[in-house]
Amino acid sequence: MATSYPVGIVGLGLIGGSLALDLTALGHTVLGVSRRLNSCTLACARGAVTLASQDERILRAAQVVFVAVPIGEVLPTVARLAQILPEGTVITDVASVKGSIVTQATELWPWFIGGHPMAGTADQGMAHALRGLFRDRPYVLTPIAQTCPVALAQVMALVDGLGARRLNAAPPDHDQAVALISHLPVLISAALVLSAGQSAVLPLAQALASSGFADTSRVGGGNPQLGRQMAQFNRAALLLALQIYQGQLEQFHQIIADQQWPQLEQRLHQSQSLRPDFVN
Amino acid sequence: MATSYPVGIVGLGLIGGSLALDLTALGHTVLGVSRRLNSCTLACARGAVTLASQDERILRAAQVVFVAVPIGEVLPTVARLAQILPEGTVITDVASVKGSIVTQATELWPWFIGGHPMAGTADQGMAHALRGLFRDRPYVLTPIAQTCPVALAQVMALVDGLGARRLNAAPPDHDQAVALISHLPVLISAALVLSAGQSAVLPLAQALASSGFADTSRVGGGNPQLGRQMAQFNRAALLLALQIYQGQLEQFHQIIADQQWPQLEQRLHQSQSLRPDFVN
């Protein structure tokens, strides 16, 4: 059982709000900060926080602070908190990209721990925050050589308390893996929708699209800002993943153009047998 | 209410078996034929058919015969039935490709109607046949200039009896639409799995893959024979769809390489707003 102590959360959206609900339920004093008064009020009303404020200075009482803001705001937020928090306070983020954040954030604040809870829903905001969102979901922590071991141990204990499947990985490995299995699918899926939208038989295509299309295109219908941020902050890894993918697709093109049917079937067999290891 | 009369079904797999269950429930005498004795026995045991046999000659008593066999076996089956059935018996197929079948099948048998019920499950075979599989699902009929209107009307009435969303389309339009919204997703999805399988951080990628990956890769884990047949029999339309798709993906690549973030976000917005018309 984790010892309970004051935990701060900056950003009371879906992720920050869900963290707040779980940490409150675990017995922690939770101090929530949002720029939006609305989110503060809602977080209090839902019993997600002990105290919510638009003023980051309330976080001085916290032992660990989760920074649950959009990727591009993580470093500016850490820089602001570094002016406010007492030395030794642990800061951890939840951004889906780590390489472009962890080294700089650790320079700004020696007690920084990179984190990425791989959970979410199609909805956004405190209103949709959920208890147990992180349970049995992967939660990656990305310590580097300069990382403070005591700070890491504290975040690890909190993540374990959430019931998440905790993994440690080097930031570049994390970024490469998520580029391939999380960011690339957004582009693949959006390109399918955009292709279908160009169809010369559009109304028929719309009428005939079924579960196969719906599933393959789902993540292409997601939040455009989030998609842009992933690409922007994980650009190198995503370009590499995209290049590998385009190569695979070109091989399919060639095989079908050349009518090499046994080879096509063999590749589809390979896909069929590889997939279960990714979706257990 | 459709008048009930004897209906034949060649092929007692998932589609043929499900047709049998529904047509029997609608009060038709259903005559089932399968090369596999096992499927005949199971069809009888499940009450899907009035009579099942490995001998196609029992179909002489039918007024309409559904040919529910793999794409490549449709034309040989129609050719055999043409030697057996009395003139005027309607034959309809269920293959997912129509251009390469309908003209030739109509030459073999003037009372042929091309059909494509867009329904299915991940399972195969009579054992997994389901009542109501076609309800509210698209069911395309593809009449051509030479099609017998009386035969068409009979198949239309049967399809309506199944509760399907019936559509008529020209075979090339059908093939172009399904290439884009059904066959292309199989390749897109399989290429994603094959790319992920090449990852330099494979165990991490496997551990982090979540619902986005699972959905985008689902149809790439499907039946390899079926995927090969789709490509083989709908080759021209699929190559065109693939080319359009590769162009879309290359645009994403260029935009990300050039760091044109507003343009990326605009395209993701376009995808987000186009998608609902395909997945209503």
Side-chain angles (χ1 to χ4, degrees), chain B residues 73-89:
Chain B
E73 294 176 33
V74 175
L75 287 174
T77 303
V78 173
R80 279 197 318 276
L81 293 177
Q83 307 299 317
I84 295 173
L85 300 180
E87 292 201 349
T89 306

Side-chain angles (χ1 to χ4, degrees), chain B residues 228-240:
Chain B
R228 192 254 300 146
Q229 286 170 1
M230 286 170 169
Q232 193 169 355
F233 289 89
N234 202 16
R235 181 167 163 271
L238 182 56
L239 282 173
L240 180 63

Side-chain angles (χ1 to χ4, degrees), chain A residues 137 188 198 209-210 214-215 217-218 220-221 228 235 244-246 250 253 256-257 259 265 271-272 275 278, chain B residues 137 188 198 209-210 214-215 217-218 220-221 228 235 244-246 250 253 256-257 265 271-272 275 278:
Chain A
R137 307 294 316 147
I188 289 178
Q198 289 192 325
S210 63
D215 283 357
S217 67
R218 185 177 66 80
R228 193 253 300 145
R235 180 168 164 270
I244 290 168
Y245 182 74
Q246 287 180 295
E250 181 52 33
H253 194 127
I256 295 170
Q259 310 195 44
E265 198 170 317
S271 166
Q272 191 184 38
R275 185 171 179 271
F278 290 89
Chain B
R137 307 294 316 148
I188 289 177
Q198 289 192 324
S210 63
D215 283 358
S217 68
R218 185 178 64 80
R228 192 254 300 146
R235 181 167 163 271
I244 291 168
Y245 181 75
Q246 287 180 295
E250 181 52 34
H253 194 125
I256 295 169
E265 197 170 318
S271 167
Q272 189 184 40
R275 187 172 178 270
F278 289 89

Side-chain angles (χ1 to χ4, degrees), chain A residues 123-182:
Chain A
D123 300 310
Q124 296 173 264
M126 182 69 224
H128 296 101
L130 290 174
R131 276 286 301 277
L133 183 65
F134 310 100
R135 178 156 297 283
D136 299 325
R137 307 294 316 147
Y139 197 123
V140 191
L141 298 179
T142 57
I144 57 176
Q146 302 89 312
T147 295
C148 164
V150 179
L152 177 62
Q154 274 193 289
V155 178
M156 282 168 65
L158 280 173
V159 168
D160 290 344
L162 299 170
R165 288 198 285 115
R166 180 171 50 75
L167 295 95
N168 286 14
D173 289 353
H174 166 276
D175 288 358
Q176 214 181 322
V178 298
L180 204 48
I181 56 93
S182 174

Side-chain angles (χ1 to χ4, degrees), chain A residues 8 36 44 50 56 67 76 81-82 94 100 106 125 132 146 150 156 163 165 170 180 213 223 231 236 260 267:
Chain A
R36 302 175 59 206
C44 291
T50 314
E56 285 169 344
V67 173
L81 293 177
V94 301
S100 55
T106 307
Q146 302 89 312
V150 179
M156 282 168 65
R165 288 198 285 115
L180 204 48
F213 185 88
N223 184 333
Q260 298 174 347
R267 284 171 67 84

